[in-house]
Amino acid sequence: MGTAFAIVLVFVGCCSNVVSLELLVREFPGCGNIVTFAQFLFIALEGFIFETKFGRKKPAIPVSNYVIMVTMFFTVSVINNYALNFNIAMPLHMIFRSGSLIANMILGIIILKKRYSASKYLSIALVSAGIFICTIMSAKQVVSPLPNMLHFLHCVTGIAMLTFALLMSARMGIFQETLYKQYGKHSKEALFYNHCLPLPGFLLLASDIYNHCIHFSQSTPVFVPVVGFSAPILWIYLLINVITQYVCIRGVFILTTECASLTVTLVVTLRKFLSLIFSIIYFQNPFTAWHWVGTAVVFLGTLLYTEVWSSVQAALRGADAKQQKKAE
């Protein structure tokens, strides 16, 4: 598959996924666990059939390495979705996760002993400041039936969960980078094992998922023209969410093998930014001038990190040089 097609998958799949997730959260705020389980189960089944050929194909990367990666991936996915139970608004959820570049840089300095230019460190300050602004503003706007102190502790717990997931995700990215350097890039295989191996972990959440299933089945039934019968609205939202999540993550995994990491990072960040804007406009989420300032600062810091300006200037200089040669 080409790079352009993978980028289309990322933008279409992820933006649609944000819409379906917000619809689910608005109907049932505590649905994080069943959403995560359904996504993992669907992608694992697809990979088992089409990637491993019903278990007959041996993995190129040792399963022991996938177990480590999967432990981190499962933890990040569950915590990110479970954080929605702690009065975390969807726009804040998306803005906070856009700090992954900064988390990756910090762990790169600590673990891989990397050193960066001054512009990279400036981007850390910008993205951190932007996330801080949006976090404070969103925390003020969330309406909660809980007393003030409990509401505050609820918000702090949710933000702490997102912070931990952010750092864990960055650590997973570094581990994945070292694996790909050693064994080569195998996007479909990694996609399958990252979703198949964690499935037994959902046994710990079985009672919660069962209660969610009952709640979903009791939701308002709607008629589905394509199949010709009615189904509970929450199950329809979940089906859309699972399919769009698969499209999105498949695009991301393809990009990791087709493009440089810089391009992947830029595409994913732009997708997050567009998803945020779409969520605000479509669902009319509260978004003040300070939120826009924070979002702009996050986006500016991310662009500075990915050196987009330098790339554009280099491309323009190259185009000018070609024109001068033709003129000569």
Side-chain angles (χ1 to χ4, degrees), residues 121-311:
Y121 292 114
L122 177 59
S123 72
I124 287 181
L126 287 173
V127 174
S128 301
I131 291 175
F132 178 77
I133 291 169
C134 291
T135 301
I136 294 299
M137 291 301 107
S138 293
K140 287 181 178 179
Q141 289 180 342
V142 173
V143 178
S144 174
L146 297 173
N148 287 338
M149 190 60 188
L150 283 177
H151 169 60
F152 173 75
L153 291 174
H154 228 55
C155 290
V156 169
T157 303
I159 291 168
M161 291 172 72
L162 289 177
T163 303
F164 177 80
L166 194 67
L167 293 171
M168 179 68 79
S169 179
R171 181 65 185 91
M172 183 181 71
I174 291 174
F175 181 72
Q176 199 169 13
E177 183 181 334
T178 57
L179 279 185
Y180 285 163
K181 284 181 179 178
Q182 185 176 356
Y183 298 102
K185 294 182 177 181
H186 305 275
S187 65
K188 292 182 181 179
E189 178 183 294
L191 184 64
F192 166 70
Y193 282 102
N194 276 338
H195 289 81
C196 177
L197 294 179
L199 286 177
F202 285 101
L203 290 173
L204 300 172
L205 309 171
S207 60
D208 192 42
I209 293 172
Y210 176 74
N211 291 331
H212 290 177
C213 289
I214 295 174
H215 185 90
F216 273 43
S217 298
Q218 293 173 346
S219 61
T220 306
V222 294
F223 182 75
V224 185
V226 178
V227 292
F229 60 82
S230 297
I233 187 67
L234 287 181
W235 284 116
I236 295 173
Y237 288 160
L238 182 63
L239 177 63
I240 295 171
N241 179 268
V242 166
I243 293 172
T244 53
Q245 172 69 8
Y246 170 75
V247 172
C248 173
I249 202 165
R250 177 70 182 274
V252 171
F253 272 77
I254 292 171
L255 274 179
T256 60
T257 58
E258 296 278 347
C259 307
S261 59
L262 179 66
T263 306
V264 177
T265 302
L266 180 59
V267 169
V268 172
T269 303
L270 286 172
R271 189 276 302 169
K272 289 177 181 176
F273 186 72
L274 289 177
S275 297
L276 172 65
I277 300 302
F278 186 83
S279 173
I280 294 162
I281 295 172
Y282 186 80
F283 291 103
Q284 298 180 342
N285 282 312
F287 217 68
T288 65
W290 280 109
H291 283 94
W292 283 111
V293 170
T295 303
V297 171
V298 169
F299 195 55
L300 178 63
T302 302
L303 291 179
L304 184 63
Y305 179 91
T306 52
E307 298 179 345
V308 171
W309 313 124
S310 301
S311 301

Side-chain angles (χ1 to χ4, degrees), residues 77-98:
S77 297
V78 171
I79 289 178
N80 269 328
N81 284 334
Y82 198 68
L84 294 170
N85 296 353
F86 291 85
N87 295 325
I88 300 295
M90 278 302 295
L92 173 60
H93 194 268
M94 287 184 283
I95 293 168
F96 209 95
R97 291 174 70 177
S98 68

Side-chain angles (χ1 to χ4, degrees), residues 99-125 128 166-167 170-171 174 301 304-307:
S100 55
L101 280 173
I102 306 309
N104 189 70
M105 175 189 278
I106 293 172
L107 291 187
I109 293 171
I110 296 171
I111 298 171
L112 302 179
K113 309 300 180 185
K114 289 184 177 181
R115 292 295 176 266
Y116 300 94
S117 62
S119 64
K120 292 287 195 293
Y121 292 114
L122 177 59
S123 72
I124 287 181
S128 301
L166 194 67
L167 293 171
R171 181 65 185 91
I174 291 174
L304 184 63
Y305 179 91
T306 52
E307 298 179 345

